[in-house]
Amino acid sequence: GLDTIFAYLPDAAVTFDPQAEEAREARLALIEEYHRARLDMLGKESEAGMVYRPVPPKLLHIEREEWNRLVAARAAASFWPFAPAGESDARLDAGGRPGRDFADLRAQPGVNVYDGAAKHVAAETEAGRRVLIAAWSAGSADRLAHVLREHGLEGKLSAVEGWQAAAGLPADVAALATLGLEHGFSAPGLAVIAEQDILGDRLVRPSRRRRRAEQFLAEASAINEGDLVVHVDHGIGRYDGLAALEVDGAPHDCLRLIYEGGDKLFVPVENIDVLSRYGSEVAGAQLDKLGGAAWQGRKARLKKRIRDMAEQLIAVAAQRRLRAAEVLAPPEGLFDEFCARFPYAETEDQSRTIVECLADLASGRPMDRLVCGDVGFGKTEVALRCAFLAAMGGRQVAVVVPTTLLARQHYATFRERFGGLPVRIAQLSRLVPAAQAAQIRRDIEAGAVDIAIGTHALLGKQLSFQRLGLVVVDEEQHFGVAHKERLKQLAADVHVLTLTATPIPRTLQMALSGVREMSVIATPPIDRLAVRTFILPYDGVVVREAILREKFRGGQSFYVCPRVSDIDRVAERLRDLVPEAKLIVAHGQMSAAALEAAMAAFADGAYDLLLSTNIIESGLDMPRVNTIVIHRADMFGLSQLYQLRGRVGRGKARGYAYLTVPASAPLGASADKRLQVMQTLDGLGAGFTLASHDLDIRGAGNLLGEEQSGHIREVGIELYQTLLEEAVLAARGDASGAEAGEWSPQISLGMPVLIPETYVADLPVRLALYRRIGTLAAQDEVEAFRAELIDRFGPLPPELANLLEIVSIKIRCRAAGVEKVEAGPKGAVLAFRHNSFANPAGLVAFISRQLGSVKLRPDHRLVAQRPWDDPAIRLRGVAKLLDELIEAAREKAA
């Protein structure tokens, strides 16, 4: 029902900030304006032949009279940033003062901040003050209590439900509660310590692990029932849901896979890492025979091909590294002045990327760096600074872009930034008259042009540079294989900087595999807001409202049409729909002069609305344009939609994107999936995630040559990427990670292991959690995940606690080289991987120290006899046994 917030908070007091009344009135006015617009549409049929009958606002919203009545019935107060005139004593002093911050202890090497916190708590209680420790969430409270008790507060710390409950504790016992406090404070008789005072940050932080392929393959975590999956040992099967089996007398969740002939394979959830998603449904994909030799043969053949390819890739990279290139170092003083012309503050990622590029240019070897950054995150500034170094170092720069409009924009940007410097900049595209273009080509060949900005014309075989030092490729996803092969010829011994927001799979893989250097700009510019995205059937009222709202806030709008043939009809409709807005049209079939004039007039603010095709897609930066309407969004590709949306919201103003589809015609499956992805990817910096979705929808290509339907369909995208990473590591002579992903320890402890349905009822969420559990690779990640689960779903049930303990044991198994653990009431049997141990002498010493209780059988199994009737003792005992084996593996051989 349409209950008000007061129905949920019947006894709550109400407080307002100074803008509350103004915001409420503006909202009500907007609602009334929408209602009047709908009434105006009555009797007019929409494009789909539907008639809208608007509901009166009072049935949907709280109007002024009802609001005043509801507020008058309860305590209400307003907060103001200043005291009303004549009431100088209106301020209230609650007696609070800043509390203890442990930053000084965190900064001292060798000092444990938890010891300091425990001593501070003891000192406060001795001074007669009550102590309350405020954790941000239930999960972090659980972890904080565990750590502080280990550092001297055992018996002196009690978890309570709220701050009121702290009053009932003994005076010498500190209370730990879940409270949303950023920082603590001190008041008479009370000391409050916040989690962030101790840690400097919240307990549960995203781990800074190396960017692996699965972070970009977003769909990897979303295996749905019926999807094709790949088992590393058994090949392609179909996922058929979760099944709870009895294993050693205890329930155990397993994933059920169906193979050819209906054969079933059950994979324990803690070994989910042996599965990978096959990718998009490819016609003709065959299920493998369970236990058959075909899969192993296919994988072995592919491994060999990938190994050969990895060697070629490494050879290409090695040849490039062996070549010498011009050393380009920043000139003293002048470079700092050039950087100071950048009107914004560099983000952390942008600064790091610039430093990496400068190091490449000064290395004496040809740079080959891929800069991946979301639309509007500052990639052009990186290119500007690299171009400055090359141009001032006496080398020519070629900036290659996919469209004439982007060439025009870059030309204007470069000229503005290089103003007053002895650098000649020229543009080469169809916007340049033929006679002028011919002269520019001659000047480039003569070395008279320092920075040439252009489209594919710069890649022509008839054009040669006299002293080319740097090639910048912007929006590389728009260039085909032939263009890139030409670039390789052009830039054999020169520096190459590639910029992209949505890298194509092949480029992304080369970077992920370590063949190309990659920098990621993932930090959004300061004050940047995410673009609000709406997907809706075409509705004239919404389109009119969107364009007029943008006009009234002093901005401009884009209206993008998929086909030139539809533009005249759409322009006529827009002139009828929004007569108040000045409209101008631009598309690729216009003459160069007309297109140039239209874009210049729009950029100068002479028009409110630009109707165009997707020629505005690539890199255009017009901060005043903050609303975009995409007509027939179902006809655009995923990367196109993402790039088009990136044209708005590039300043401090909120951007709005309206993706309209026909109201009556059903969407195709692929178009529907694209639009769903656009709806979900509404945050800042989602370009990588989009690239992975695009990879899943379209498939991928091979890394070498012009063949685009690669080996990926043989084993699926995730396993292909893993095999490629291993092959590249092996080709480089790094064997440390070569087999890391190939094996998963088998653990059987005779206890229930699952996420109960009563804890997480939603099956897809449960499966996604299992997938995340399978990727946990360190003990601190397990602890952070435990805290997150408690925060999201409540205290852990015993079965899930067992699962996380088993994951911790799995991590220990990998470190100790133990392939299989079977434990029960009388002890454990351990099998070593490949029947070998890293330090045999250390193992002998370990067995000698525990003579009688530990022995090595002739089949190389290690048997440990222990009284482990209690499952909890068994878990701790197996973990301790593995810790001892890890220590033995590290011991120096006698």
Tab-separated table of all heavy atoms in Angstrom, residues 245-267:
chain	number	residue	atom	x	y	z
A	245	LEU	N	23.933	-33.203	-0.615
A	245	LEU	CA	24.209	-34.638	-0.509
A	245	LEU	C	24.681	-34.966	0.902
A	245	LEU	O	25.223	-34.108	1.609
A	245	LEU	CB	25.302	-35.046	-1.510
A	245	LEU	CG	25.062	-34.743	-2.993
A	245	LEU	CD1	26.225	-35.285	-3.806
A	245	LEU	CD2	23.760	-35.365	-3.475
A	246	GLU	N	24.502	-36.235	1.304
A	246	GLU	CA	25.066	-36.701	2.563
A	246	GLU	C	26.504	-37.141	2.313
A	246	GLU	O	26.753	-38.067	1.546
A	246	GLU	CB	24.243	-37.885	3.098
A	246	GLU	CG	22.862	-37.500	3.609
A	246	GLU	CD	22.936	-36.770	4.953
A	246	GLU	OE1	23.810	-37.118	5.767
A	246	GLU	OE2	22.130	-35.839	5.163
A	247	VAL	N	27.470	-36.436	2.910
A	247	VAL	CA	28.877	-36.790	2.784
A	247	VAL	C	29.417	-37.076	4.183
A	247	VAL	O	29.411	-36.188	5.042
A	247	VAL	CB	29.688	-35.646	2.132
A	247	VAL	CG1	31.156	-36.022	2.035
A	247	VAL	CG2	29.117	-35.311	0.758
A	248	ASP	N	29.854	-38.323	4.409
A	248	ASP	CA	30.327	-38.744	5.736
A	248	ASP	C	29.278	-38.455	6.807
A	248	ASP	O	29.590	-38.023	7.927
A	248	ASP	CB	31.642	-38.045	6.102
A	248	ASP	CG	32.772	-38.423	5.167
A	248	ASP	OD1	32.739	-39.565	4.654
A	248	ASP	OD2	33.674	-37.592	4.948
A	249	GLY	N	28.011	-38.675	6.435
A	249	GLY	CA	26.932	-38.528	7.412
A	249	GLY	C	26.513	-37.108	7.695
A	249	GLY	O	25.713	-36.870	8.604
A	250	ALA	N	27.007	-36.121	6.913
A	250	ALA	CA	26.644	-34.715	7.141
A	250	ALA	C	26.212	-34.082	5.832
A	250	ALA	O	26.737	-34.422	4.772
A	250	ALA	CB	27.831	-33.950	7.731
A	251	PRO	N	25.236	-33.156	5.870
A	251	PRO	CA	24.793	-32.507	4.627
A	251	PRO	C	25.886	-31.631	4.044
A	251	PRO	O	26.604	-30.938	4.761
A	251	PRO	CB	23.592	-31.663	5.082
A	251	PRO	CG	23.770	-31.467	6.540
A	251	PRO	CD	24.497	-32.670	7.048
A	252	HIS	N	25.999	-31.681	2.700
A	252	HIS	CA	27.075	-30.967	2.014
A	252	HIS	C	26.518	-30.449	0.695
A	252	HIS	O	26.053	-31.222	-0.132
A	252	HIS	CB	28.225	-31.954	1.744
A	252	HIS	CG	29.546	-31.292	1.552
A	252	HIS	ND1	30.620	-31.514	2.367
A	252	HIS	CD2	29.971	-30.392	0.634
A	252	HIS	CE1	31.648	-30.801	1.957
A	252	HIS	NE2	31.280	-30.105	0.894
A	253	ASP	N	26.572	-29.133	0.480
A	253	ASP	CA	26.074	-28.566	-0.777
A	253	ASP	C	27.048	-28.864	-1.912
A	253	ASP	O	28.269	-28.683	-1.761
A	253	ASP	CB	25.897	-27.047	-0.644
A	253	ASP	CG	24.434	-26.650	-0.477
A	253	ASP	OD1	23.587	-27.566	-0.502
A	253	ASP	OD2	24.141	-25.453	-0.320
A	254	CYS	N	26.502	-29.316	-3.036
A	254	CYS	CA	27.311	-29.597	-4.227
A	254	CYS	C	26.627	-28.996	-5.449
A	254	CYS	O	25.403	-28.826	-5.471
A	254	CYS	CB	27.480	-31.106	-4.451
A	254	CYS	SG	28.343	-31.953	-3.115
A	255	LEU	N	27.413	-28.663	-6.474
A	255	LEU	CA	26.859	-28.220	-7.746
A	255	LEU	C	26.696	-29.436	-8.646
A	255	LEU	O	27.644	-30.208	-8.823
A	255	LEU	CB	27.786	-27.206	-8.420
A	255	LEU	CG	27.879	-25.833	-7.766
A	255	LEU	CD1	28.953	-25.830	-6.688
A	255	LEU	CD2	28.193	-24.763	-8.803
A	256	ARG	N	25.507	-29.592	-9.187
A	256	ARG	CA	25.226	-30.749	-10.050
A	256	ARG	C	25.450	-30.352	-11.500
A	256	ARG	O	24.852	-29.402	-12.002
A	256	ARG	CB	23.794	-31.229	-9.837
A	256	ARG	CG	23.430	-32.472	-10.661
A	256	ARG	CD	22.082	-33.041	-10.283
A	256	ARG	NE	21.034	-32.032	-10.396
A	256	ARG	CZ	20.250	-31.657	-9.377
A	256	ARG	NH1	20.377	-32.202	-8.184
A	256	ARG	NH2	19.314	-30.723	-9.557
A	257	LEU	N	26.328	-31.091	-12.188
A	257	LEU	CA	26.617	-30.848	-13.601
A	257	LEU	C	26.141	-32.042	-14.415
A	257	LEU	O	26.308	-33.191	-14.009
A	257	LEU	CB	28.119	-30.645	-13.836
A	257	LEU	CG	28.850	-29.612	-12.976
A	257	LEU	CD1	30.296	-29.505	-13.421
A	257	LEU	CD2	28.169	-28.260	-13.052
A	258	ILE	N	25.550	-31.754	-15.575
A	258	ILE	CA	25.080	-32.798	-16.487
A	258	ILE	C	26.030	-32.870	-17.669
A	258	ILE	O	26.340	-31.837	-18.288
A	258	ILE	CB	23.643	-32.506	-16.992
A	258	ILE	CG1	22.690	-32.286	-15.802
A	258	ILE	CG2	23.145	-33.639	-17.880
A	258	ILE	CD1	22.502	-33.480	-14.920
A	259	TYR	N	26.500	-34.080	-17.987
A	259	TYR	CA	27.392	-34.282	-19.127
A	259	TYR	C	26.698	-35.115	-20.196
A	259	TYR	O	25.527	-35.521	-20.032
A	259	TYR	CB	28.698	-34.951	-18.656
A	259	TYR	CG	29.636	-33.963	-18.002
A	259	TYR	CD1	29.499	-33.627	-16.650
A	259	TYR	CD2	30.632	-33.335	-18.729
A	259	TYR	CE1	30.337	-32.696	-16.059
A	259	TYR	CE2	31.479	-32.403	-18.144
A	259	TYR	CZ	31.320	-32.087	-16.819
A	259	TYR	OH	32.147	-31.169	-16.248
A	260	GLU	N	27.375	-35.364	-21.288
A	260	GLU	CA	26.799	-36.115	-22.399
A	260	GLU	C	26.260	-37.462	-21.897
A	260	GLU	O	26.892	-38.145	-21.082
A	260	GLU	CB	27.864	-36.350	-23.476
A	260	GLU	CG	27.313	-37.011	-24.742
A	260	GLU	CD	28.407	-37.374	-25.740
A	260	GLU	OE1	29.520	-36.850	-25.629
A	260	GLU	OE2	28.117	-38.200	-26.613
A	261	GLY	N	25.076	-37.826	-22.402
A	261	GLY	CA	24.460	-39.083	-21.989
A	261	GLY	C	23.735	-38.989	-20.669
A	261	GLY	O	23.279	-40.013	-20.130
A	262	GLY	N	23.622	-37.777	-20.107
A	262	GLY	CA	22.910	-37.618	-18.839
A	262	GLY	C	23.750	-37.925	-17.614
A	262	GLY	O	23.229	-37.926	-16.490
A	263	ASP	N	25.046	-38.200	-17.782
A	263	ASP	CA	25.912	-38.460	-16.625
A	263	ASP	C	25.971	-37.225	-15.738
A	263	ASP	O	25.992	-36.091	-16.229
A	263	ASP	CB	27.327	-38.823	-17.080
A	263	ASP	CG	27.360	-40.161	-17.815
A	263	ASP	OD1	26.378	-40.918	-17.692
A	263	ASP	OD2	28.358	-40.434	-18.511
A	264	LYS	N	26.024	-37.476	-14.415
A	264	LYS	CA	26.028	-36.370	-13.455
A	264	LYS	C	27.357	-36.329	-12.715
A	264	LYS	O	27.944	-37.360	-12.406
A	264	LYS	CB	24.887	-36.528	-12.439
A	264	LYS	CG	23.494	-36.402	-13.018
A	264	LYS	CD	22.443	-36.481	-11.916
A	264	LYS	CE	21.038	-36.313	-12.478
A	264	LYS	NZ	20.632	-37.407	-13.349
A	265	LEU	N	27.813	-35.104	-12.445
A	265	LEU	CA	29.012	-34.885	-11.641
A	265	LEU	C	28.643	-33.889	-10.543
A	265	LEU	O	28.038	-32.853	-10.816
A	265	LEU	CB	30.146	-34.306	-12.499
A	265	LEU	CG	31.436	-33.943	-11.758
A	265	LEU	CD1	32.143	-35.210	-11.279
A	265	LEU	CD2	32.375	-33.132	-12.640
A	266	PHE	N	29.002	-34.228	-9.291
A	266	PHE	CA	28.698	-33.345	-8.161
A	266	PHE	C	30.002	-32.725	-7.657
A	266	PHE	O	30.946	-33.431	-7.295
A	266	PHE	CB	28.015	-34.127	-7.034
A	266	PHE	CG	26.652	-34.623	-7.416
A	266	PHE	CD1	26.489	-35.887	-7.975
A	266	PHE	CD2	25.524	-33.825	-7.246
A	266	PHE	CE1	25.239	-36.351	-8.346
A	266	PHE	CE2	24.270	-34.284	-7.608
A	266	PHE	CZ	24.119	-35.544	-8.173
A	267	VAL	N	30.052	-31.397	-7.675
A	267	VAL	CA	31.256	-30.667	-7.267
A	267	VAL	C	30.991	-29.991	-5.924
A	267	VAL	O	30.072	-29.170	-5.824
A	267	VAL	CB	31.642	-29.589	-8.312
A	267	VAL	CG1	32.886	-28.828	-7.887
A	267	VAL	CG2	31.840	-30.222	-9.681
